[in-house]
Tab-separated table of all heavy atoms in Angstrom:
chain	number	residue	atom	x	y	z
A	1	LEU	N	42.589	-28.739	-174.897
A	1	LEU	CA	42.102	-30.105	-174.690
A	1	LEU	C	41.207	-30.478	-175.863
A	1	LEU	O	40.206	-29.803	-176.125
A	1	LEU	CB	41.316	-30.176	-173.377
A	1	LEU	CG	40.646	-31.508	-173.031
A	1	LEU	CD1	41.688	-32.601	-172.782
A	1	LEU	CD2	39.743	-31.344	-171.808
A	2	THR	N	41.562	-31.539	-176.572
A	2	THR	CA	40.812	-31.960	-177.751
A	2	THR	C	40.329	-33.390	-177.584
A	2	THR	O	41.119	-34.286	-177.268
A	2	THR	CB	41.668	-31.861	-179.032
A	2	THR	OG1	42.095	-30.516	-179.215
A	2	THR	CG2	40.871	-32.303	-180.252
A	3	TYR	N	39.030	-33.593	-177.815
A	3	TYR	CA	38.441	-34.927	-177.823
A	3	TYR	C	38.207	-35.355	-179.263
A	3	TYR	O	37.484	-34.685	-180.002
A	3	TYR	CB	37.122	-34.946	-177.047
A	3	TYR	CG	37.314	-35.176	-175.569
A	3	TYR	CD1	37.613	-34.128	-174.714
A	3	TYR	CD2	37.235	-36.461	-175.032
A	3	TYR	CE1	37.823	-34.338	-173.357
A	3	TYR	CE2	37.435	-36.683	-173.682
A	3	TYR	CZ	37.727	-35.622	-172.851
A	3	TYR	OH	37.941	-35.840	-171.511
A	4	HIS	N	38.834	-36.470	-179.650
A	4	HIS	CA	38.594	-37.057	-180.961
A	4	HIS	C	37.469	-38.081	-180.800
A	4	HIS	O	37.615	-39.078	-180.081
A	4	HIS	CB	39.863	-37.717	-181.498
A	4	HIS	CG	40.933	-36.725	-181.843
A	4	HIS	ND1	41.194	-36.333	-183.141
A	4	HIS	CD2	41.783	-36.015	-181.058
A	4	HIS	CE1	42.172	-35.440	-183.142
A	4	HIS	NE2	42.544	-35.232	-181.887
A	5	VAL	N	36.341	-37.817	-181.461
A	5	VAL	CA	35.104	-38.572	-181.243
A	5	VAL	C	34.713	-39.297	-182.522
A	5	VAL	O	34.864	-38.766	-183.633
A	5	VAL	CB	33.974	-37.612	-180.797
A	5	VAL	CG1	32.658	-38.355	-180.628
A	5	VAL	CG2	34.364	-36.913	-179.499
A	6	ARG	N	34.199	-40.507	-182.375
A	6	ARG	CA	33.712	-41.254	-183.538
A	6	ARG	C	32.421	-40.628	-184.061
A	6	ARG	O	31.571	-40.196	-183.262
A	6	ARG	CB	33.500	-42.714	-183.165
A	6	ARG	CG	34.809	-43.434	-182.828
A	6	ARG	CD	34.591	-44.902	-182.473
A	6	ARG	NE	35.883	-45.552	-182.239
A	6	ARG	CZ	36.525	-45.576	-181.058
A	6	ARG	NH1	35.957	-44.991	-180.006
A	6	ARG	NH2	37.687	-46.164	-180.937
A	7	PRO	N	32.258	-40.586	-185.375
A	7	PRO	CA	31.120	-39.843	-185.957
A	7	PRO	C	29.761	-40.254	-185.416
A	7	PRO	O	28.914	-39.400	-185.132
A	7	PRO	CB	31.241	-40.140	-187.457
A	7	PRO	CG	32.667	-40.513	-187.671
A	7	PRO	CD	33.128	-41.171	-186.411
A	8	GLU	N	29.542	-41.542	-185.267
A	8	GLU	CA	28.210	-42.005	-184.864
A	8	GLU	C	27.851	-41.597	-183.429
A	8	GLU	O	26.683	-41.666	-183.033
A	8	GLU	CB	28.112	-43.524	-185.015
A	8	GLU	CG	29.084	-44.323	-184.167
A	8	GLU	CD	30.420	-44.588	-184.840
A	8	GLU	OE1	30.772	-43.830	-185.774
A	8	GLU	OE2	31.090	-45.547	-184.438
A	9	HIS	N	28.811	-41.166	-182.643
A	9	HIS	CA	28.560	-40.748	-181.260
A	9	HIS	C	28.629	-39.227	-181.088
A	9	HIS	O	28.506	-38.738	-179.967
A	9	HIS	CB	29.582	-41.397	-180.323
A	9	HIS	CG	29.452	-42.886	-180.225
A	9	HIS	ND1	28.594	-43.508	-179.339
A	9	HIS	CD2	30.069	-43.876	-180.920
A	9	HIS	CE1	28.692	-44.819	-179.484
A	9	HIS	NE2	29.578	-45.077	-180.437
A	10	LEU	N	28.811	-38.497	-182.172
A	10	LEU	CA	29.046	-37.059	-182.057
A	10	LEU	C	27.873	-36.316	-181.423
A	10	LEU	O	28.063	-35.502	-180.509
A	10	LEU	CB	29.348	-36.468	-183.438
A	10	LEU	CG	29.504	-34.944	-183.486
A	10	LEU	CD1	30.697	-34.493	-182.660
A	10	LEU	CD2	29.629	-34.462	-184.928
A	11	VAL	N	26.650	-36.573	-181.884
A	11	VAL	CA	25.495	-35.811	-181.397
A	11	VAL	C	25.295	-36.036	-179.899
A	11	VAL	O	25.104	-35.086	-179.125
A	11	VAL	CB	24.231	-36.175	-182.186
A	11	VAL	CG1	23.014	-35.473	-181.606
A	11	VAL	CG2	24.399	-35.806	-183.665
A	12	GLY	N	25.362	-37.285	-179.455
A	12	GLY	CA	25.210	-37.571	-178.033
A	12	GLY	C	26.321	-36.970	-177.206
A	12	GLY	O	26.090	-36.485	-176.086
A	13	PHE	N	27.529	-36.976	-177.741
A	13	PHE	CA	28.665	-36.391	-177.032
A	13	PHE	C	28.472	-34.885	-176.870
A	13	PHE	O	28.667	-34.332	-175.784
A	13	PHE	CB	29.951	-36.679	-177.817
A	13	PHE	CG	31.213	-36.291	-177.101
A	13	PHE	CD1	31.782	-37.137	-176.163
A	13	PHE	CD2	31.836	-35.089	-177.356
A	13	PHE	CE1	32.949	-36.795	-175.507
A	13	PHE	CE2	32.999	-34.727	-176.708
A	13	PHE	CZ	33.555	-35.591	-175.780
A	14	MET	N	28.040	-34.223	-177.933
A	14	MET	CA	27.809	-32.784	-177.872
A	14	MET	C	26.675	-32.445	-176.897
A	14	MET	O	26.749	-31.449	-176.169
A	14	MET	CB	27.483	-32.241	-179.265
A	14	MET	CG	28.652	-32.215	-180.218
A	14	MET	SD	29.924	-31.053	-179.658
A	14	MET	CE	30.791	-30.758	-181.199
A	15	ARG	N	25.657	-33.265	-176.872
A	15	ARG	CA	24.534	-32.999	-175.961
A	15	ARG	C	24.980	-33.158	-174.499
A	15	ARG	O	24.564	-32.385	-173.626
A	15	ARG	CB	23.374	-33.928	-176.293
A	15	ARG	CG	22.104	-33.607	-175.528
A	15	ARG	CD	20.923	-34.400	-176.031
A	15	ARG	NE	20.401	-33.862	-177.293
A	15	ARG	CZ	20.441	-34.491	-178.452
A	15	ARG	NH1	20.983	-35.685	-178.529
A	15	ARG	NH2	19.951	-33.936	-179.544
A	16	THR	N	25.824	-34.144	-174.240
A	16	THR	CA	26.351	-34.315	-172.883
A	16	THR	C	27.195	-33.120	-172.476
A	16	THR	O	27.064	-32.607	-171.351
A	16	THR	CB	27.183	-35.607	-172.796
A	16	THR	OG1	26.348	-36.734	-173.076
A	16	THR	CG2	27.796	-35.770	-171.411
A	17	LEU	N	28.059	-32.657	-173.370
A	17	LEU	CA	28.890	-31.488	-173.051
A	17	LEU	C	28.030	-30.255	-172.787
A	17	LEU	O	28.362	-29.430	-171.934
A	17	LEU	CB	29.850	-31.199	-174.201
A	17	LEU	CG	31.011	-32.168	-174.431
A	17	LEU	CD1	31.895	-31.665	-175.558
A	17	LEU	CD2	31.826	-32.376	-173.173
A	18	ARG	N	26.918	-30.125	-173.488
A	18	ARG	CA	26.060	-28.958	-173.318
A	18	ARG	C	25.216	-29.025	-172.049
A	18	ARG	O	25.078	-28.039	-171.317
A	18	ARG	CB	25.137	-28.820	-174.525
A	18	ARG	CG	24.273	-27.563	-174.527
A	18	ARG	CD	23.142	-27.657	-175.548
A	18	ARG	NE	22.185	-28.711	-175.191
A	18	ARG	CZ	21.145	-29.048	-175.943
A	18	ARG	NH1	20.933	-28.445	-177.097
A	18	ARG	NH2	20.326	-30.013	-175.556
A	19	ASP	N	24.641	-30.179	-171.754
A	19	ASP	CA	23.592	-30.272	-170.744
A	19	ASP	C	24.083	-30.651	-169.354
A	19	ASP	O	23.416	-30.311	-168.368
A	19	ASP	CB	22.540	-31.284	-171.187
A	19	ASP	CG	21.799	-30.839	-172.442
A	19	ASP	OD1	21.898	-29.641	-172.783
A	19	ASP	OD2	21.140	-31.682	-173.072
A	20	GLU	N	25.194	-31.371	-169.255
A	20	GLU	CA	25.650	-31.814	-167.939
A	20	GLU	C	26.138	-30.610	-167.122
A	20	GLU	O	27.023	-29.866	-167.564
A	20	GLU	CB	26.771	-32.852	-168.108
A	20	GLU	CG	27.496	-33.231	-166.847
A	20	GLU	CD	26.553	-33.648	-165.732
A	20	GLU	OE1	25.566	-34.366	-166.017
A	20	GLU	OE2	26.802	-33.249	-164.589
A	21	PRO	N	25.577	-30.381	-165.916
A	21	PRO	CA	25.924	-29.183	-165.136
A	21	PRO	C	27.410	-29.027	-164.833
A	21	PRO	O	27.907	-27.902	-164.763
A	21	PRO	CB	25.112	-29.363	-163.849
A	21	PRO	CG	23.940	-30.198	-164.251
A	21	PRO	CD	24.471	-31.148	-165.290
A	22	SER	N	28.130	-30.121	-164.673
A	22	SER	CA	29.558	-30.010	-164.367
A	22	SER	C	30.394	-29.717	-165.610
A	22	SER	O	31.607	-29.473	-165.504
A	22	SER	CB	30.063	-31.293	-163.700
A	22	SER	OG	29.828	-32.419	-164.538
A	23	LEU	N	29.765	-29.721	-166.780
A	23	LEU	CA	30.459	-29.406	-168.041
A	23	LEU	C	29.949	-28.081	-168.610
A	23	LEU	O	30.686	-27.128	-168.739
A	23	LEU	CB	30.267	-30.543	-169.041
A	23	LEU	CG	30.898	-31.877	-168.641
A	23	LEU	CD1	30.414	-33.002	-169.542
A	23	LEU	CD2	32.415	-31.785	-168.660
A	24	ARG	N	28.680	-28.045	-169.006
A	24	ARG	CA	28.025	-26.830	-169.477
A	24	ARG	C	28.805	-26.087	-170.577
A	24	ARG	O	29.016	-24.890	-170.496
A	24	ARG	CB	27.775	-25.878	-168.306
A	24	ARG	CG	26.624	-26.289	-167.426
A	24	ARG	CD	25.296	-26.058	-168.132
A	24	ARG	NE	24.180	-26.245	-167.199
A	24	ARG	CZ	23.131	-26.996	-167.433
A	24	ARG	NH1	23.036	-27.646	-168.589
A	24	ARG	NH2	22.156	-27.112	-166.558
A	25	PHE	N	29.183	-26.817	-171.629
A	25	PHE	CA	29.749	-26.148	-172.802
A	25	PHE	C	28.575	-25.736	-173.679
A	25	PHE	O	28.182	-26.412	-174.614
A	25	PHE	CB	30.729	-27.075	-173.520
A	25	PHE	CG	32.012	-27.268	-172.756
A	25	PHE	CD1	32.170	-28.354	-171.912
A	25	PHE	CD2	33.038	-26.341	-172.860
A	25	PHE	CE1	33.341	-28.521	-171.195
A	25	PHE	CE2	34.208	-26.497	-172.146
A	25	PHE	CZ	34.367	-27.585	-171.306
A	26	GLU	N	28.016	-24.563	-173.334
A	26	GLU	CA	26.756	-24.142	-173.920
A	26	GLU	C	26.877	-23.650	-175.353
A	26	GLU	O	25.911	-23.679	-176.106
A	26	GLU	CB	26.123	-23.005	-173.090
A	26	GLU	CG	25.923	-23.344	-171.621
A	26	GLU	CD	26.986	-22.738	-170.734
A	26	GLU	OE1	28.115	-22.507	-171.241
A	26	GLU	OE2	26.710	-22.487	-169.557
A	27	MET	N	28.050	-23.195	-175.736
A	27	MET	CA	28.181	-22.538	-177.040
A	27	MET	C	29.178	-23.273	-177.931
A	27	MET	O	30.327	-23.508	-177.535
A	27	MET	CB	28.637	-21.085	-176.869
A	27	MET	CG	28.709	-20.332	-178.179
A	27	MET	SD	29.071	-18.578	-177.940
A	27	MET	CE	28.950	-17.996	-179.626
A	28	CYS	N	28.709	-23.639	-179.115
A	28	CYS	CA	29.608	-24.163	-180.143
A	28	CYS	C	29.946	-23.010	-181.085
A	28	CYS	O	29.051	-22.342	-181.605
A	28	CYS	CB	28.959	-25.307	-180.907
A	28	CYS	SG	30.045	-26.050	-182.144
A	29	LEU	N	31.224	-22.774	-181.292
A	29	LEU	CA	31.678	-21.632	-182.075
A	29	LEU	C	31.794	-21.953	-183.562
A	29	LEU	O	32.469	-21.241	-184.300
A	29	LEU	CB	33.022	-21.139	-181.540
A	29	LEU	CG	33.002	-20.731	-180.063
A	29	LEU	CD1	34.402	-20.431	-179.558
A	29	LEU	CD2	32.112	-19.523	-179.861
A	30	GLY	N	31.123	-23.014	-183.995
A	30	GLY	CA	31.139	-23.344	-185.420
A	30	GLY	C	31.823	-24.667	-185.669
A	30	GLY	O	32.084	-25.463	-184.763
A	31	VAL	N	32.108	-24.927	-186.937
A	31	VAL	CA	32.866	-26.115	-187.322
A	31	VAL	C	33.767	-25.730	-188.491
A	31	VAL	O	33.358	-25.004	-189.400
A	31	VAL	CB	31.936	-27.288	-187.699
A	31	VAL	CG1	30.965	-26.906	-188.810
A	31	VAL	CG2	32.747	-28.519	-188.102
A	32	SER	N	35.006	-26.192	-188.429
A	32	SER	CA	35.982	-25.941	-189.495
A	32	SER	C	36.424	-27.267	-190.084
A	32	SER	O	36.473	-28.285	-189.378
A	32	SER	CB	37.202	-25.187	-188.947
A	32	SER	OG	36.813	-23.952	-188.388
A	33	GLY	N	36.746	-27.258	-191.358
A	33	GLY	CA	37.235	-28.458	-192.019
A	33	GLY	C	38.744	-28.449	-192.131
A	33	GLY	O	39.397	-27.404	-192.073
A	34	ALA	N	39.311	-29.639	-192.282
A	34	ALA	CA	40.739	-29.803	-192.560
A	34	ALA	C	40.893	-31.035	-193.439
A	34	ALA	O	40.124	-31.997	-193.309
A	34	ALA	CB	41.548	-29.956	-191.277
A	35	HIS	N	41.870	-30.995	-194.320
A	35	HIS	CA	42.071	-32.088	-195.266
A	35	HIS	C	43.514	-32.565	-195.170
A	35	HIS	O	44.452	-31.801	-195.390
A	35	HIS	CB	41.768	-31.610	-196.702
A	35	HIS	CG	41.842	-32.700	-197.719
A	35	HIS	ND1	42.174	-32.473	-199.028
A	35	HIS	CD2	41.620	-34.045	-197.616
A	35	HIS	CE1	42.161	-33.609	-199.691
A	35	HIS	NE2	41.825	-34.567	-198.857
A	36	PHE	N	43.678	-33.835	-194.798
A	36	PHE	CA	44.995	-34.464	-194.736
A	36	PHE	C	44.973	-35.659	-195.687
A	36	PHE	O	44.679	-36.784	-195.270
A	36	PHE	CB	45.307	-34.921	-193.311
A	36	PHE	CG	45.331	-33.804	-192.307
A	36	PHE	CD1	44.222	-33.538	-191.522
A	36	PHE	CD2	46.463	-33.020	-192.148
A	36	PHE	CE1	44.237	-32.504	-190.597
A	36	PHE	CE2	46.490	-31.986	-191.225
A	36	PHE	CZ	45.373	-31.726	-190.449
A	37	PRO	N	45.266	-35.437	-196.974
A	37	PRO	CA	45.114	-36.523	-197.950
A	37	PRO	C	46.015	-37.716	-197.686
A	37	PRO	O	45.725	-38.826	-198.138
A	37	PRO	CB	45.466	-35.840	-199.285
A	37	PRO	CG	46.159	-34.578	-198.929
A	37	PRO	CD	45.673	-34.170	-197.596
A	38	GLU	N	47.121	-37.524	-196.936
A	38	GLU	CA	48.032	-38.633	-196.669
A	38	GLU	C	47.587	-39.486	-195.479
A	38	GLU	O	48.144	-40.559	-195.245
A	38	GLU	CB	49.445	-38.098	-196.412
A	38	GLU	CG	50.045	-37.303	-197.562
A	38	GLU	CD	49.644	-35.833	-197.551
A	38	GLU	OE1	48.888	-35.438	-196.635
A	38	GLU	OE2	50.076	-35.089	-198.445
A	39	GLU	N	46.613	-39.028	-194.705
A	39	GLU	CA	46.154	-39.778	-193.535
A	39	GLU	C	45.069	-40.760	-193.984
A	39	GLU	O	43.874	-40.519	-193.857
A	39	GLU	CB	45.626	-38.823	-192.466
A	39	GLU	CG	45.509	-39.479	-191.100
A	39	GLU	CD	45.003	-38.534	-190.033
A	39	GLU	OE1	44.569	-37.416	-190.353
A	39	GLU	OE2	45.021	-38.938	-188.871
A	40	THR	N	45.498	-41.892	-194.480
A	40	THR	CA	44.605	-42.840	-195.134
A	40	THR	C	43.470	-43.277	-194.203
A	40	THR	O	43.706	-43.697	-193.070
A	40	THR	CB	45.388	-44.086	-195.591
A	40	THR	OG1	46.471	-43.662	-196.436
A	40	THR	CG2	44.492	-45.035	-196.370
A	41	GLY	N	42.238	-43.153	-194.707
A	41	GLY	CA	41.066	-43.534	-193.943
A	41	GLY	C	40.559	-42.466	-193.001
A	41	GLY	O	39.486	-42.623	-192.405
A	42	ARG	N	41.324	-41.364	-192.868
A	42	ARG	CA	40.940	-40.256	-191.985
A	42	ARG	C	41.284	-38.932	-192.667
A	42	ARG	O	41.766	-38.000	-192.035
A	42	ARG	CB	41.678	-40.353	-190.646
A	42	ARG	CG	41.390	-41.591	-189.854
A	42	ARG	CD	42.337	-41.719	-188.662
A	42	ARG	NE	42.375	-40.517	-187.853
A	42	ARG	CZ	41.509	-40.254	-186.872
A	42	ARG	NH1	40.553	-41.124	-186.586
A	42	ARG	NH2	41.609	-39.150	-186.175
A	43	GLU	N	41.008	-38.850	-193.947
A	43	GLU	CA	41.481	-37.700	-194.719
A	43	GLU	C	40.787	-36.391	-194.358
A	43	GLU	O	41.386	-35.317	-194.432
A	43	GLU	CB	41.301	-37.964	-196.217
A	43	GLU	CG	42.190	-39.077	-196.781
A	43	GLU	CD	41.533	-40.444	-196.692
A	43	GLU	OE1	40.454	-40.556	-196.067
A	43	GLU	OE2	42.096	-41.405	-197.248
A	44	LEU	N	39.513	-36.442	-193.999
A	44	LEU	CA	38.744	-35.228	-193.737
A	44	LEU	C	38.429	-35.108	-192.247
A	44	LEU	O	37.934	-36.053	-191.625
A	44	LEU	CB	37.445	-35.237	-194.550
A	44	LEU	CG	37.627	-35.111	-196.064
A	44	LEU	CD1	36.329	-35.428	-196.788
A	44	LEU	CD2	38.111	-33.714	-196.431
A	45	HIS	N	38.718	-33.922	-191.693
A	45	HIS	CA	38.480	-33.674	-190.279
A	45	HIS	C	37.503	-32.517	-190.121
A	45	HIS	O	37.574	-31.524	-190.850
A	45	HIS	CB	39.787	-33.305	-189.565
A	45	HIS	CG	40.774	-34.422	-189.465
A	45	HIS	ND1	41.440	-34.726	-188.298
A	45	HIS	CD2	41.217	-35.318	-190.387
A	45	HIS	CE1	42.246	-35.741	-188.506
A	45	HIS	NE2	42.132	-36.117	-189.776
A	46	ALA	N	36.608	-32.639	-189.149
A	46	ALA	CA	35.735	-31.537	-188.739
A	46	ALA	C	36.091	-31.173	-187.303
A	46	ALA	O	36.160	-32.051	-186.434
A	46	ALA	CB	34.270	-31.946	-188.833
C-alpha cells in the first residue's frame, strides 16, 4: 500500500501515521531516491 503525498503535507502526514493509535507506524526505515527523467514535473521521487 503506497500513499503518494504532496510535499507540503509530508510532515503532518508522517506525524499522523506515527501518533494515531489506530495507525501507529512508529518506525520509518529510511528514505530512498528514484529518478524518472521522462516524468515531466515529477522527475525526482522520495
Side-chain angles (χ1 to χ4, degrees):
L1 176 66
T2 300
Y3 274 84
H4 291 258
V5 177
R6 294 181 177 87
E8 61 271 22
H9 294 274
L10 175 64
V11 175
F13 188 83
M14 289 295 201
R15 188 171 283 114
T16 298
L17 289 183
R18 185 195 66 183
D19 295 345
E20 170 52 41
S22 58
L23 295 168
R24 284 288 189 230
F25 288 95
E26 305 101 333
M27 183 174 184
C28 183
L29 302 172
V31 56
S32 301
H35 185 209
F36 299 97
E38 300 85 0
E39 196 179 9
T40 304
R42 298 170 52 86
E43 293 89 352
L44 292 168
H45 292 226

